[in-house]
Amino acid sequence: MASAVRVGLVGLGTIGTGVVRLFQEHGADIDRRLGFPLVLAAIADIDLESERGVALAGYTLHRDYKALIDDPGIDIVVELVGGTGVAAQIVRSALCAGKAVATANKALLAHKGDEIWPLAREHGTEIAFEASVCGTIPVLRALREGLAADRIQALHGIVNGTCNYILSEMEEQGEPYASALKRAQDLGYAEVDPRFDVEGTDSAHKLAILLGLAFGLRAGPGDFPVEGIERIAISDIDAAQRLGFRIKLLASARRGAEGVLACVRPCLVPRTGALAAVGGALNALVVDGAFSGRTSYSGAGAGSLPTASAVVADLMELARSRRLGAAGRVAPLGTPELAEGGLCAAAAEEGEYYVRIEASPGSGADAAAELIERLAARGVRVETLARAGRDVVVTTAPVKRAAIAAALDRRSAAGVQILRIERGL
Ligand code: HSE
């Protein structure tokens, strides 16, 4: 049997603990599948005292990650610290030492991928990051390898488990936003700072990675519009339901004549469609390819054990490369040199929209008439008109989003809700 590949884990948080547990429970199967041992040899974390429900006897323990990097016996480093500070140092130093790296760190890859991908190549090693997008679902592998021969036309994903959990609980249990968020934190879905989840930042990090894989685009999270779920009211959820839709936070990108249009926004999807059925902390990705047609992927998008499963699958892939001498067989984003530019301006956003405006008590009829008039003045045709509590809700015929925004520019943003309707999902 070939000699063992040895792994050093940095970061014993929610996912790190899941990785330890997975090695402990499935280690023998993993070795059998690989044909050689994959050994979790060492763990580094500044806190080695807290009780995490896994036995740490048998591992070499360090408080300083540098001890793992300096250990010539460690072949692969798993970075599960998160963030873009120390995590960047860990990844850089591991790659520069010629070690392979596995990470779930979407923020790091979205912000510093341009520096990290070439570093892996220069040092003849690899970085794997399946767990960074959609948790346990192998969507990156699907885009990088399974769909590598196709031209991706569009993708739409529910890529943040926390937001999906909150929206689902608000609709199904009538639970207030704040307590649903608190539970998502207790269940280990949310980021350390949950504003990253609810403001759409985490979804934007993931979309930046998906844009690289699906369209060969280098785009940072600041290059496309990002909106979170904090302004979704129970009245929006109820009104959407009455119109036959459910509200989901979508990370979307579609190829058009002028380039790829990307955004993260809460959208209305048909209640009978595939994405509406994706509840709780589940994630899903729908990909439209020129030849492949539509393929869909769904599963657990967050949480200790599902995410650990994707991390360890990456470790197996990296270990195979080490033993078979095939590092870099497929470039991290599927293509070594990425296309430049290619994102189109947000002003190109176009579709059917749900518009809700606040109306003061007793002024609903006047507010509705004024809204329709203002929209009509900008060439926006109203298809349906309804009430949401005392507020007024309309749906529009296909139109540029900018036309609706212009029609409502005199209103305070807090009193206006504009949500895209995605009928095809
Ligand atoms: N906070 C993230 C989410 C974790 O809720 O999806 C997984 O990336």
Side-chain angles (χ1 to χ4, degrees):
M1 189 186 261
S3 60
V5 171
R6 292 161 60 82
V7 175
L9 164 65
V10 190
L12 204 44
T14 308
I15 308 171
T17 306
V19 167
V20 175
R21 205 171 135 191
L22 199 149
F23 267 101
Q24 291 174 352
E25 293 184 21
H26 296 179
D29 287 348
I30 288 170
D31 292 353
R32 248 195 317 276
R33 284 180 190 140
L34 286 172
F36 56 84
L38 180 65
V39 178
L40 177 59
I43 297 172
D45 195 289
I46 47 173
D47 168 16
L48 294 169
E49 280 73 41
S50 295
E51 177 52 47
R52 294 169 169 97
V54 287
L56 298 179
Y59 305 113
T60 306
L61 300 178
H62 303 285
R63 281 182 207 285
D64 187 345
Y65 78 88
K66 293 190 188 97
L68 285 186
I69 310 289
D70 293 341
D71 180 349
I74 296 294
D75 302 287
I76 308 176
V77 170
V78 192
E79 181 278 306
L80 295 174
V81 171
T84 54
V86 177
Q89 293 163 22
I90 296 166
V91 168
R92 271 190 217 116
S93 57
L95 293 173
C96 290
K99 298 179 194 302
V101 169
T103 179
N105 193 332
K106 55 264 163 156
L108 178 66
L109 299 175
H111 286 287
K112 302 198 172 164
D114 282 345
E115 175 205 337
I116 288 168
W117 320 126
L119 206 56
R121 196 146 38 100
E122 278 160 32
H123 292 275
T125 186
E126 288 181 297
I127 177 161
F129 47 96
E130 183 63 64
S132 64
V133 181
C134 289
T136 205
I137 321 167
V139 291
L140 302 191
R141 212 159 255 124
L143 287 167
R144 206 163 66 110
E145 301 192 49
L147 298 170
D150 207 355
R151 185 175 171 85
I152 306 303
Q153 305 291 15
L155 60 81
H156 301 273
I158 296 171
V159 298
N160 184 270
T162 300
C163 288
N164 206 42
Y165 182 80
I166 293 172
L167 292 172
S168 303
E169 295 291 292
M170 283 171 75
E171 177 174 342
E172 285 159 28
Q173 319 293 342
E175 188 172 10
Y177 172 91
S179 65
L181 170 58
K182 167 80 174 56
R183 197 125 44 78
Q185 289 177 282
D186 293 345
L187 290 166
Y189 303 150
E191 297 302 301
V192 177
D193 179 349
R195 282 178 301 182
F196 273 61
D197 297 291
V198 296
E199 291 177 0
T201 311
D202 177 76
S203 296
H205 290 151
K206 292 165 178 169
L207 182 56
I209 296 170
L210 290 169
L211 286 169
L213 280 150
F215 301 99
L217 281 178
R218 277 312 295 147
D223 294 335
F224 45 82
V226 177
E227 202 184 319
I229 63 163
E230 327 91 288
R231 294 185 59 249
I232 299 294
I234 288 282
S235 60
D236 293 316
I237 289 176
D238 291 346
Q241 190 170 8
R242 287 200 305 278
L243 288 162
F245 297 97
R246 190 163 271 162
I247 298 177
K248 296 289 182 188
L249 183 66
L250 295 187
S252 300
R254 37 165 73 82
R255 205 187 281 275
E258 292 160 30
V260 174
L261 187 65
C263 62
V264 172
R265 295 207 191 266
C267 295
L268 272 64
V269 296
R271 291 182 74 76
T272 49
L275 287 187
V278 176
L282 294 181
N283 280 191
L285 188 73
V286 173
V287 181
D288 293 323
F291 274 52
S292 52
R294 175 160 290 184
T295 53
S296 313
Y297 314 81
S298 64
S304 173
L305 304 185
T307 312
S309 165
V311 170
V312 179
D314 270 352
L315 292 175
M316 293 172 73
E317 188 67 24
L318 294 170
R320 284 194 186 99
S321 293
R322 290 256 139 177
R323 280 294 158 264
L324 304 175
R329 187 177 55 89
V330 185
L333 295 179
T335 167
E337 307 303 336
L338 291 170
E340 291 296 326
L343 268 190
C344 41
E349 279 186 76
E350 191 175 351
E352 295 173 60
Y353 287 91
Y354 160 106
V355 181
R356 174 175 59 80
I357 57 159
E358 262 178 14
S360 44
S363 72
D366 291 347
E370 190 202 335
L371 174 61
I372 293 170
E373 194 179 312
R374 280 178 172 280
L375 290 170
R378 296 279 173 173
V380 182
R381 205 176 71 231
V382 168
E383 296 279 9
T384 66
L385 168 67
R387 301 298 299 269
R390 69 174 191 225
D391 293 354
V392 175
V393 169
V394 299
T395 60
T396 73
V399 65
K400 286 241 190 305
R401 184 187 175 100
I404 299 176
L408 301 176
D409 66 347
R410 292 239 205 96
R411 289 193 153 255
S412 94
V416 175
Q417 182 71 279
I418 305 173
L419 302 173
R420 167 99 180 225
I421 300 175
E422 292 283 3
R423 285 191 192 277
L425 298 174

